[in-house]
Structure formats: structure tokens, C-alpha cells
Amino acid sequence: MLYILLSVCCSISVAILLKIARRYEINIQQSINWNYLAALSLCYLTFSPDFKILNNSVPWKFYFPLSILLPVIFLFLAESVKNIGIVKTEIAQRLSLFIPILASYFIFGENISLFKFFGLTIGFMAIFLTLNRKSESTNENNSWIYPLFVLFGFGIIDVLFKQIALYSEIPFTTSLFIIFCGAFCIASLITLYYLIFNKRNLTWQSFLFGIVLGIFNFGNILFYLKAHKALANNPSTVFAAMNFGVISIGTLIGVTVFNEKITRINYLGIACAVMAVIIITISQLYAY
């Protein structure tokens, strides 16, 4: 359980860093760029990816979209934390689990049990209730767009990562390094665009902040993989504990530390989110 706790802490730390970045005039886009430099460096040092096994069968059809989606959705994640806070953003990210479940039914032809369908229904209710926000400000009324992009984006990313995990010819850790390299290249192109056309300058603050961000981002992945390895016979335990931990600790920190405003309807949405994750986790457990 130590690995799960460390993974949860790293995940929450990423959200906290994104939350406080604006206070110190950190350029988030540049930080996300350097975040992938740190992540791929740590991936190389930790996993020692084997490039000799790469051949013509490399699944570029999964690598390319992941390389693009990772930095782009990270930007939406940062905007979501900025606009609606840690609590709702983390829940939107955790509820992205519905996307791979729906994909397994509509794309891969798997059956969805009545129990799992019930969990999905509660999950969609949770999305509506959690993101519900009354405001007279037009900008705030449109803020729900960011967590929806986070939800669908991370859901698609999860589907693509599952495809890579099933690809037995290349180790997952080697694929992860290649994807981080691609994400760094895409993020660098975005940075270059802003440097040329928006006349922005590179800053040391954003570089250092990005390195710290990358350490926690990679730590989240590393400890999550280690948790699955340590509890190989209980994948649902890892999945459930990770989601419960992020939702509960994220809510606690968002409300107490950052004074995020949560309405009664939002709390009902949080409760529905937890219930949906429990139901889907149980349905996955009995599916094996």
C-alpha cells in the first residue's frame, strides 16, 4: 500500500503545483515542456529502455497520438485547476475511467454487465453534479469545458496506453520512454510557437518549476506501476485505492488549503463519483 500512497501523493502534488504556479508568475506552458524533459530523463535512468528491440513493428499509430495528447491535455489540466480548482479537476480526471470501459464495449466488443452499467450511470450523474456551478460571469460559466477536456482526454490516453500494454513485442517501459520523447518534442514545438509569434521569453523559474513538476509526474507513474507489480493478483485494489485516495485527499486539500468553494450539489457529485468508482471496481473484480 506504500506505493499506492506515494502515487496518490505525487498525483495530488502535480495538481497543487499547477494551482500555485500562477501566484509566482510561472509560465505553465513552458513548465509542462520541461516537465517531459525531466520525465524522460528519469524514465531512462530508472527503466534503462532497450532500443535494440525496436523494429518495423513499432506501434507508431499509438505513439504519435499519445505524444500529442499528453502535453495538450496537460495544458487543459492546468487550465482546469486554475478555473475550477483541484477538487473538481481531480474528480474529472478520475471519472475518465468511463471512456476505456465504453471503448471496451463499442470498439472491442466486450460485454458490459448490468452492475457496471449502473456504475456508469451514477458516474455520469457525478460528472453533472460535480461540475455544476452557478455564476454570473461568462468566463466562469464556460469553465466546465476544461474538466470535460480533461475527462475525455485522459480517457482516450488510458485507452491508448492499454493498447500499448497489450503490445508484447516491445516492453511497456521502452514504449513509455519513446512517448515521453515525443511529448517533449510536441511541447517544445508549442513553446517555439509562443517564442516566435507571441514574443515570449524562456524563464529559469519555469524551467525549474517544470523539472519539479516532471519529478512528481514521473513519480506518479513509477509508483503506480510498482503498486501493480507488488499487488499483481489484486489489480482492482490498486485501482480502487488510487482513485479513492486522489478524490478524498484532493477534496480535503482543495477545501481546507485553497478554500475552494464546494456547493451541496457538488458534494453530492463527489459522493456519486466515489460510489461509481466502487461499483465499477467491484464489477471489474468479478469479471476476472
Side-chain angles (χ1 to χ4, degrees):
M1 295 299 289
L2 176 61
Y3 290 136
I4 297 175
L5 178 61
L6 290 173
S7 182
V8 168
C9 290
C10 286
S11 179
I12 296 295
S13 296
V14 169
I16 293 174
L17 287 170
L18 293 175
K19 182 76 173 181
I20 66 176
R22 303 290 178 178
R23 297 182 181 180
Y24 299 97
E25 298 182 354
I26 302 295
N27 186 305
I28 293 295
Q29 188 277 315
Q30 289 182 22
S31 295
I32 291 174
N33 189 168
W34 303 124
N35 144 80
Y36 286 112
L37 177 62
L40 71 89
S41 299
L42 289 171
C43 185
Y44 181 81
L45 294 173
T46 305
F47 299 128
S48 300
D50 185 7
F51 303 111
K52 295 179 181 179
I53 60 174
L54 298 180
N55 50 43
N56 294 330
S57 63
V58 173
W60 295 111
K61 62 180 179 180
F62 301 134
Y63 290 168
F64 279 130
L66 278 170
S67 297
I68 296 171
L69 281 172
L70 283 176
V72 171
I73 297 302
F74 211 145
L75 288 171
F76 278 105
L77 180 69
E79 287 298 319
S80 182
V81 171
K82 172 190 172 185
N83 284 274
I84 68 168
I86 293 174
V87 177
K88 297 179 181 180
T89 300
E90 287 290 359
I91 291 174
Q93 185 176 349
R94 294 301 140 187
L95 289 177
S96 66
L97 66 96
F98 300 136
I99 306 300
I101 291 176
L102 292 174
S104 68
Y105 176 75
F106 289 106
I107 298 176
F108 305 114
E110 296 181 13
N111 293 324
I112 293 183
S113 65
L114 183 62
F115 199 48
K116 186 179 293 185
F117 180 79
F118 181 56
L120 288 172
T121 303
I122 295 177
F124 284 118
M125 290 175 53
I127 294 170
F128 174 77
L129 295 172
T130 304
L131 300 183
N132 180 275
R133 179 177 182 177
K134 292 183 179 180
S135 174
E136 297 179 357
S137 171
T138 303
N139 290 333
E140 291 186 359
N141 281 332
N142 292 332
S143 62
W144 58 269
I145 294 175
Y146 299 115
L148 280 185
F149 268 103
V150 169
L151 190 155
F152 285 104
F154 276 103
I156 295 171
I157 287 170
D158 191 30
V159 172
L160 292 171
F161 267 127
K162 286 182 185 300
Q163 291 297 302
I164 290 176
L166 294 173
Y167 194 81
S168 58
E169 294 186 31
I170 299 176
F172 182 78
T173 50
T174 300
S175 293
L176 189 63
F177 178 82
I178 296 173
I179 292 166
F180 278 150
C181 285
F184 175 65
C185 291
I186 296 299
S188 296
L189 289 175
I190 296 173
T191 300
L192 186 62
Y193 171 85
Y194 281 113
L195 291 176
I196 295 175
F197 295 100
N198 288 33
K199 307 299 181 182
R200 292 184 181 177
N201 297 318
L202 294 175
T203 64
W204 280 105
Q205 295 94 324
S206 298
F207 172 77
L208 295 175
F209 191 88
I211 296 300
V212 175
L213 191 66
I215 292 172
F216 283 111
N217 193 21
F218 177 76
N220 177 30
I221 297 172
L222 174 65
F223 294 124
Y224 187 67
L225 291 175
K226 283 184 174 292
H228 271 294
K229 186 176 181 180
L231 299 170
N233 296 325
N234 296 285
S236 60
T237 301
V238 179
F239 174 78
M242 181 69 187
N243 283 280
F244 299 158
V246 170
I247 291 175
S248 58
I249 297 177
T251 300
L252 181 64
I253 292 176
V255 172
T256 58
V257 178
F258 295 103
N259 297 317
E260 294 181 3
K261 295 181 179 179
I262 307 295
T263 65
R264 291 181 179 178
I265 293 178
N266 295 152
Y267 276 118
L268 180 60
I270 294 171
C272 286
V274 172
M275 188 182 303
V277 171
I278 292 173
I279 293 172
I280 291 173
T281 300
I282 294 174
S283 68
Q284 292 287 90
L285 176 63
Y286 285 101
Y288 291 104

